[in-house]
C-alpha cells in the first residue's frame, strides 16, 4: 500500500480538480464536513477516518476499507459501497438512501433512529448495533 496521504495534501489535490483517489491510503484522515461528492475512492484505505458530516453523495467507495471510521451524519445518498468494509463504523445519523450496500460488511457498525438506509435494507440482518 502506498504512503498515507495527509489531509492538507488530499484537500489540495481535490480542490485542484482531482477526483480519482482509487486505492489511496487515507488511514485516519480527518475530512469532517467536507464536500467530496462524486469522488472515486474505490479500494481506498480509510480505516479510522473522521468523515463526520462529510458529503459523499454519488461517491465510489466500492471495495474500500472504512473499518472504525466515523461517518456520523454523513451524506452517502447514491454512493457505491459495494463490497466495502464498514465493520465497527459509526453510521449514526448517516443518509444511505439509494446507496449500493451489496456485499458490504457492516457487522458491529453503529446506527440510530436517524440513520436512513436503502429501501429493503435490514440492519439487523447485517448484524449492526442500534444505539438508542
Amino acid at each position: 500500500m502506498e504512503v498515507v496521504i495527509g489531509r492538507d495534501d488530499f484537500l489540495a489535490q481535490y480542490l485542484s480538480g482531482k477526483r480519482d483517489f482509487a486505492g489511496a491510503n487515507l488511514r485516519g484522515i480527518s475530512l469532517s464536513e467536507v464536500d467530496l461528492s462524486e469522488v472515486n475512492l474505490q479500494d481506498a484505505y480509510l480505516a479510522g477516518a473522521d468523515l463526520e458530516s462529510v458529503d459523499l453523495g454519488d461517491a465510489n467507495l466500492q471495495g474500500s476499507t472504512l473499518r472504525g471510521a466515523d461517518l456520523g451524519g454523513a451524506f452517502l445518498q447514491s454512493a457505491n459501497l459495494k463490497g466495502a468494509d464498514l465493520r465497527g463504523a459509526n453510521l449514526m445519523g448517516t443518509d444511505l438512501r439509494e446507496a449500493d450496500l451489496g456485499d458490504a460488511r457492516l457487522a458491529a457498525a453503529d446506527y440510530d433512529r436517524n440513520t436512513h438506509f436503502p429501501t429493503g435494507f435490514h440492519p439487523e440482518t447485517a448484524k449492526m448495533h442500534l444505539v438508542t
Side-chain angles (χ1 to χ4, degrees), residues 4-5 27 45 48 53-54 56 58 86 97 100 102 111 124:
V4 176
I5 300 173
R27 176 183 41 140
Y45 190 77
S53 300
V54 71
L56 286 163
D58 295 306
L86 292 145
R97 287 179 277 203
D100 185 346
Y111 72 101
E124 306 81 20

Side-chain angles (χ1 to χ4, degrees), residues 36-41 55-62 76-81:
L36 299 176
S37 54
E38 300 182 15
V39 71
N40 181 14
L41 290 166
D55 183 346
L56 286 163
D58 295 306
N60 181 9
L61 292 150
Q62 182 173 348
L76 286 147
Q77 268 194 19
S78 301
N80 179 359
L81 290 158

Side-chain angles (χ1 to χ4, degrees), residues 86-113:
L86 292 145
R87 290 177 287 178
N90 171 17
L91 298 174
M92 293 189 294
T94 303
D95 189 344
L96 293 157
R97 287 179 277 203
E98 299 178 36
D100 185 346
L101 294 173
D103 297 321
R105 289 165 284 171
L106 292 152
D110 292 333
Y111 72 101
D112 62 12
R113 301 275 181 222

Side-chain angles (χ1 to χ4, degrees), residues 4 6 14 28 38 42 46-47 50 70 84 103-104 119-120 123:
V4 176
Y14 186 82
E38 300 182 15
Q42 182 172 348
L46 293 145
D50 177 4
D70 183 358
D103 297 321
T119 302

